C-alpha cells in the first residue's frame, strides 16, 4: 500500500513538474552487475547478479531561481527467492530555491551533506568511480551506519572568497525519525511521542581548482521508543558523527584521489559510550578518455556496534564508452571480523549473583570477536544512463 | 597470510591483463581538426571581452551561476553532435573530452538539480537561442557570428 502510494505520488509530481516547468529533464540510470566471491576460511563461494535497480531521475527548472528534483529507485532483488521482492523507493524529492551563489535553500528529501562521496555519488552509478561505495558510507537502510538521506531543510552556499569556501547546513528528521517507531512502543512511550531534529553541517574549501578539503558533522538525539541499529533504546540515545577528508576529482582531471575518515559515536544508558570508525582511500588515473585504472582501500571498525568490521582492498578499472555508459571491473580481497555482545552476571565471592537496589541482577556487557576469514573475488558492473 | 598474498597477486594480475587488453583496442590519435570559432553572448550582456579561462568558468557555471552585472542565470549553449566548432571549443577552450563535458553536466544535475546545457543542431539555431536569452553563452563559427544580429562576440579562438 505504502509503495503504491509512493509510486502514485511520484507519477503525479513527475507529470505536474513536466507540465508546469519550463524545462524538464528526465534521465534513467541502470546498473546491472555480477559478483563472484569466495571465502578462504569457510570455503564457501557465491555468485550473484546484483544491483538490479532502475532509477528515474527528473529535474525541472521552474523559473530562474526555483528547480525541483525527484529520484525514484525501482529495485529487483535477485537474491530473494520470493517473487514479490520488487520495491520502489523515493530516494530524493526536493525543491531548490536559489537566492545567490552564497545562499540557496533545499527543502524535501535529499542526500545528507556528509563528507564528499555521499553528496556526489549515489544511485547514478555511471558517475561513481567504483562499483560499490565504501563500506563506511553505506546507507543505514542497507546495513551501514550513516543516514545517507533524510528529509529536512538545507541552507547552502558556495564559492565564497578566494578559498572558494562552501557550506551546507541541514536540519532533518535524523536517525530517530517518527515513522520508525512501532505501534507497541508508541503506547509504552506515549509521553515522548515526538522526535528531535538532527543537525548536519558540511564545510569545504577549494584552495586550488578541484582540490577540496572538507569536514562535516552530525548531531542527533534518538528518543526512547525509536528503533536504531536493531534495538529500541529505553532512554535518550545521543549520536554524533564527525568526518574529514580531501578530494582531488574533476571531469577534466587525469588523476583522481579521495580520502575520508568517519567517526560515529553514541551514548546511552544501556551500552554506554560506543564508537564506530572507518575510512577509505581511493586513487585512480585516467590513462585515456576511456580507461581509468583505480584502487581503493576500505577500512571499518564496527566492533562496538556488533556489526562485521572489514579491511578490504579493491583493484579495478573503468572503461567509459561515453558519458552514458561505463563498464567497471574490480577484484576485491578483504577480511572480516564479526563482533557479538556478551552478557556476564556479576557474582560475589561465593558465586551468588549480585542484585542492585531495584532487584535487577548486575551485569557486565562485553563483546566477543570471531575472525570471518579472507574473502576475495571479481565483480563486474555495467552502468548506463539515457 | 600466504593465502592473502596469493589472492592479492591473483587479483592484481587479472586487473592488469584486463587493462592491457582494453587499452590495446582503444589507443587512437586524438582528432585535433577544428575551425575558428567565436564565443558569443546576448547583446544585452554588458561583458565585452572574456579570456579563455573566463569563458570556461562561465560556460561550465563553475564559480558563478549568474552573470554578475546582468543578474540573469548563465545559460550555456552547446552543439547537439560532434562538429568542427565543438571540437575547437572542447579542445581549446574547455580542454576536455566530449564525454567528460557530458559527465560534468550530468554530475551537476545529479548533485544539485542544475539544468544542463542547452543543445542545438546548427550555428543558426544557437545564434537564435543566444539572441533571445539574455544569460546565454555559446560558440559558433566566426563566419556565422559575423553576420548575426542580437549577439556579440566576446572572444575568438582559432
Amino acid at each position: 500500500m505504502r509503495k503504491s502510494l509512493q509510486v502514485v505520488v511520484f507519477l503525479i509530481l513527475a507529470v505536474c513538474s513536466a507540465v508546469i516547468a519550463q524545462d524538464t529533464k528526465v534521465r534513467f540510470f541502470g546498473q546491472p552487475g555480477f559478483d563472484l566471491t569466495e571465502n578462504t576460511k569457510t570455503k564457501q563461494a557465491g555468485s550473484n547478479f546484483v544491483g538490479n535497480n532502475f532509477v528515474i531521475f527528473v529535474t525541472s527548472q521552474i523559473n530562474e531561481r526555483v528547480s525541483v528534483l525527484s529520484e525514484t529507485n525501482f529495485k529487483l532483488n535477485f537474491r530473494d527467492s520470493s517473487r514479490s521482492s520488487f520495491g520502489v523507493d523515493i530516494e530524493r524529492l526536493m525543491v531548490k530555491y536559489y537566492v545567490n551563489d552564497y545562499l540557496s535553500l533545499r527543502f524535501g528529501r535529499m542526500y545528507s551533506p556528509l563528507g564528499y562521496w555521499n553528496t556526489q555519488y549515489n544511485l547514478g552509478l555511471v558517475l561513481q568511480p567504483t562499483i560499490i561505495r565504501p563500506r563506511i558510507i553505506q546507507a543505514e537502510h542497507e546495513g551501514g551506519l550513516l543516514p545517507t538521506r533524510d528529509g529536512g531543510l538545507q541552507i547552502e552556499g558556495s564559492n565564497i572568497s578566494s578559498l572558494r569556501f562552501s557550506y551546507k547546513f541541514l536540519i532533518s528528521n535524523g536517525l530517530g525519525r517518527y515513522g520508525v517507531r512501532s505501534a507497541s512502543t508508541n503506547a509504552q512511550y506515549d509521553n515522548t511521542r515526538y522526535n528531535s531534529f538532527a543537525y548536519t553541517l558540511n564545510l569545504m574549501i577549494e584552495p586550488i581548482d578541484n582540490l577540496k578539503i572538507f569536514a562535516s558533522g552530525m548531531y542527533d538525539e534518538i528518543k526512547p521508543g525509536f528503533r536504531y541499529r536493531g534495538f529500541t533504546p529505553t532512554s535518550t540515545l545521543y549520536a554524533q558523527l564527525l568526518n574529514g577528508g580531501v578530494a582531488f576529482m574533476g571531469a577534466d582531471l587525469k588523476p583522481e584521489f579521495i580520502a575520508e575518515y568517519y567517526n560515529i559515536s553514541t551514548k546511552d544508558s544501556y551500552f554506554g559510550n560506543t564508537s564506530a570508525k572507518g575510512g577509505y582511500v581511493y586513487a585512480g588515473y585516467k590513462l585515456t578518455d576511456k580507461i581509468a585504472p583505480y584502487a581503493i582501500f576500505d577500512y571499518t571498525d564496527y566492533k562496538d556496534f556488533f556489526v562485521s568490521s572489514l579491511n578490504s582492498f579493491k583493484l579495478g578499472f573503468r572503461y567509459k564508452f561515453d558519458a552514458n555508459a561505463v563498464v567497471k571491473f574490480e577484484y576485491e580481497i578483504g577480511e572480516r571480523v564479526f563482533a557479538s555482545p556478551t552478557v556476564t552476571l556479576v557474582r560475589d565471592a561465593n558465586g551468588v549473583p549480585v542484585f542492585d537496589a531495584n532487584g535487577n541482577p548486575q551485569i557486565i556487557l562485553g563483546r566477543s570477536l570471531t575472525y570471518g576469514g579472507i574473502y576475495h573475488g571479481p565483480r563486474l558492473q555495467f552502468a548506463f544512463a539515457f | 597470510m600466504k593465502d592473502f598474498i596469493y589472492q592479492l597477486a591473483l587479483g592484481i594480475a587479472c586487473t592488469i591483463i584486463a587493462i592491457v587488453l582494453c587499452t590495446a583496442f582503444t589507443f587512437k590519435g586524438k582528432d585535433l581538426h577544428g575551425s575558428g570559432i567565436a564565443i558569443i553572448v546576448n547583446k544585452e550582456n554588458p561583458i565585452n571581452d572574456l579570456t579563455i579561462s573566463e569563458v570556461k568558468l562561465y560556460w561550465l557555471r563553475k564559480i558563478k551561476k549568474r552573470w554578475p552585472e546582468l543578474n540573469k542565470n548563465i545559460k550555456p549553449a552547446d552543439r547537439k553532435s560532434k562538429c568542427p566548432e565543438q571540437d575547437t571549443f572542447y579542445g581549446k577552450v574547455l580542454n576536455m573530452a566530449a564525454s567528460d563535458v557530458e559527465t560534468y553536466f550530468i554530475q551537476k544535475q545529479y548533485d544539485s538539480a542544475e539544468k544542463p546545457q542547452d543543445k542545438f543542431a546548427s550555428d543558426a539555431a544557437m545564434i537564435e537561442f543566444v539572441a533571445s536569452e539574455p544569460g546565454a553563452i555559446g560558440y559558433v563559427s566566426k563566419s556565422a557570428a559575423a553576420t548575426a544580429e542580437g549577439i556579440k562576440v566576446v572572444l575568438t579562438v582559432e
Side-chain angles (χ1 to χ4, degrees):
Chain A
M1 182 64 189
R2 196 171 157 223
K3 301 282 183 199
S4 307
L5 189 64
Q6 286 179 344
V7 175
V8 170
V9 168
F10 167 74
L11 289 174
I12 290 170
L13 285 168
V15 171
C16 286
S17 58
V19 171
I20 295 167
Q22 291 181 350
D23 208 329
T24 299
K25 302 278 181 190
V26 182
R27 282 191 198 275
F28 301 90
F29 293 108
Q31 37 259 337
F34 183 79
D35 70 28
L36 185 66
T37 309
E38 186 186 337
N39 189 306
T40 54
K41 184 184 177 194
T42 60
K43 303 295 178 196
Q44 286 180 323
S47 54
N48 293 289
F49 289 98
V50 293
N52 300 287
N53 59 328
F54 185 72
V55 180
I56 300 179
F57 177 71
V58 183
T59 57
S60 288
Q61 191 77 40
I62 292 175
N63 60 36
E64 281 258 311
R65 295 186 184 275
V66 180
S67 56
V68 297
L69 179 156
S70 73
E71 186 178 19
T72 307
N73 185 16
F74 298 85
K75 292 182 285 190
L76 182 63
N77 189 355
F78 282 177
R79 293 187 188 195
D80 192 336
S81 58
S82 162
R83 282 170 180 241
S84 61
S85 61
F86 176 76
V88 181
D89 265 338
I90 295 189
E91 292 285 324
R92 286 190 287 176
L93 186 60
M94 65 171 202
V95 180
K96 184 178 177 187
Y97 183 78
Y98 173 89
V99 180
N100 57 42
D101 288 337
Y102 304 154
L103 180 65
S104 296
L105 303 171
R106 294 187 195 204
F107 176 71
R109 184 169 164 79
M110 65 199 86
Y111 291 125
S112 308
L114 290 168
Y116 178 80
W117 195 294
N118 191 53
T119 57
Q120 295 291 311
Y121 314 115
N122 279 282
L123 291 177
L125 295 185
V126 71
L127 302 167
Q128 183 170 282
T130 59
I131 292 179
I132 53 174
R133 49 172 38 202
R135 174 84 188 289
I136 188 69
I137 47 172
Q138 270 182 352
E140 187 200 7
H141 63 278
E142 289 170 347
L145 300 179
L146 292 196
T148 55
R149 54 196 180 158
D150 209 348
L153 173 69
Q154 181 169 296
I155 303 165
E156 63 186 55
S158 58
N159 295 314
I160 302 166
S161 85
S162 58
L163 276 178
R164 291 170 68 178
F165 171 74
S166 65
Y167 69 92
K168 290 175 180 169
F169 178 63
L170 173 69
I171 301 173
S172 62
N173 291 329
L175 296 163
R177 58 195 171 277
Y178 189 79
V180 173
R181 190 159 60 176
S182 66
S184 58
T185 55
N186 271 343
Q188 188 182 351
Y189 299 102
D190 198 45
N191 59 338
T192 57
R193 194 182 289 175
Y194 63 90
N195 180 27
S196 60
F197 290 124
Y199 305 95
T200 309
L201 178 66
N202 187 319
L203 304 173
M204 184 183 287
I205 56 167
E206 194 174 340
I208 59 171
D209 203 21
N210 296 311
L211 175 66
K212 298 179 174 75
I213 301 165
F214 51 89
S216 61
M218 187 199 77
Y219 179 78
D220 196 5
E221 290 179 8
I222 295 141
K223 296 293 179 186
F226 291 94
R227 282 184 69 76
Y228 175 59
R229 281 172 24 218
F231 79 99
T232 309
T234 54
S235 62
T236 299
L237 183 145
Y238 302 93
Q240 177 183 284
L241 187 152
L242 292 171
N243 153 265
V246 60
F248 188 56
M249 299 288 284
D252 52 345
L253 281 182
K254 285 192 179 297
E256 301 175 330
F257 180 82
I258 316 172
E260 281 194 80
Y261 177 79
Y262 281 86
N263 185 301
I264 305 158
S265 56
T266 63
K267 182 183 174 185
D268 73 316
S269 61
Y270 189 66
F271 286 109
N273 294 323
T274 60
S275 76
K277 44 193 169 292
Y280 68 90
V281 179
Y282 165 85
Y285 190 84
K286 290 175 194 159
L287 288 175
T288 69
D289 296 343
K290 293 182 180 296
I291 294 177
Y294 62 84
I296 181 166
F297 176 72
D298 200 353
Y299 153 78
T300 52
D301 178 357
Y302 287 172
K303 296 183 191 78
D304 273 5
F305 282 35
F306 308 124
V307 182
S308 66
S309 303
L310 64 79
N311 291 315
S312 147
F313 180 76
K314 299 184 197 88
L315 195 62
F317 77 98
R318 293 190 307 275
Y319 182 82
K320 188 175 175 181
F321 292 96
D322 59 33
N324 295 316
V326 178
V327 169
K328 300 172 207 168
F329 172 82
E330 279 177 7
Y331 196 91
E332 178 177 12
I333 179 164
E335 57 181 352
R336 286 184 195 278
V337 175
F338 298 96
S340 51
T342 58
V343 178
T344 310
L345 275 175
V346 177
R347 295 173 187 275
D348 63 15
N350 300 319
V352 178
V354 177
F355 292 85
D356 63 17
N358 299 322
N360 298 316
Q362 287 191 11
I363 56 170
I364 298 170
L365 285 169
R367 68 184 183 195
S368 68
L369 302 178
T370 312
Y371 182 61
I374 293 169
Y375 65 94
H376 65 95
R379 188 177 284 127
L380 182 72
Q381 181 183 72
F382 176 60
F384 61 86
F386 56 94
Chain B
M1 191 60 190
K2 207 172 176 182
D3 259 4
F4 185 90
I5 292 168
Y6 171 72
Q7 301 298 349
L8 186 63
L10 185 66
I12 291 170
C14 283
T15 307
I16 290 170
I17 290 167
I19 290 171
V20 168
L21 285 174
C22 281
T23 309
F25 291 105
T26 54
F27 271 121
K28 290 175 189 170
K30 273 193 173 180
D31 182 8
L32 295 174
H33 295 291
S35 59
I37 58 167
I39 311 300
I40 56 170
V41 297
N42 186 280
K43 69 175 180 186
E44 287 177 27
N45 196 323
I47 283 176
N48 293 315
D49 295 298
L50 289 173
T51 63
I52 284 184
S53 58
E54 285 170 336
V55 169
K56 181 176 179 177
L57 290 178
Y58 279 118
W59 198 85
L60 293 174
R61 305 180 85 223
K62 206 160 189 177
I63 295 177
K64 296 284 178 197
K65 292 177 176 57
R66 290 170 79 80
W67 293 104
E69 292 172 18
L70 197 61
N71 200 25
K72 291 279 182 189
N73 280 354
I74 299 167
K75 294 187 174 175
D78 200 358
R79 290 294 290 270
K80 250 180 195 159
S81 49
K82 186 176 164 63
C83 60
E85 291 81 11
Q86 189 184 64
D87 286 345
T88 306
F89 184 69
Y90 285 3
K92 293 186 176 171
V93 178
L94 302 183
N95 196 21
M96 290 167 78
S99 63
D100 290 339
V101 175
E102 198 63 25
T103 300
Y104 175 85
F105 279 105
I106 295 175
Q107 180 76 63
K108 290 202 94 160
Q109 185 190 8
Y110 190 76
D111 173 38
S112 51
E114 276 190 35
K115 184 174 169 282
Q117 79 273 45
D118 288 288
K119 293 182 178 178
F120 303 93
S122 64
D123 274 355
M126 193 180 291
I127 287 168
E128 191 183 338
F129 173 75
V130 175
S132 63
E133 283 287 347
I137 178 169
Y139 58 88
V140 292
S141 64
K142 281 201 290 189
S143 56
T147 53
E149 291 181 358
I151 58 146
K152 63 180 166 185
V153 176
V154 289
L155 178 72
T156 56
V157 181
E158 293 302 328

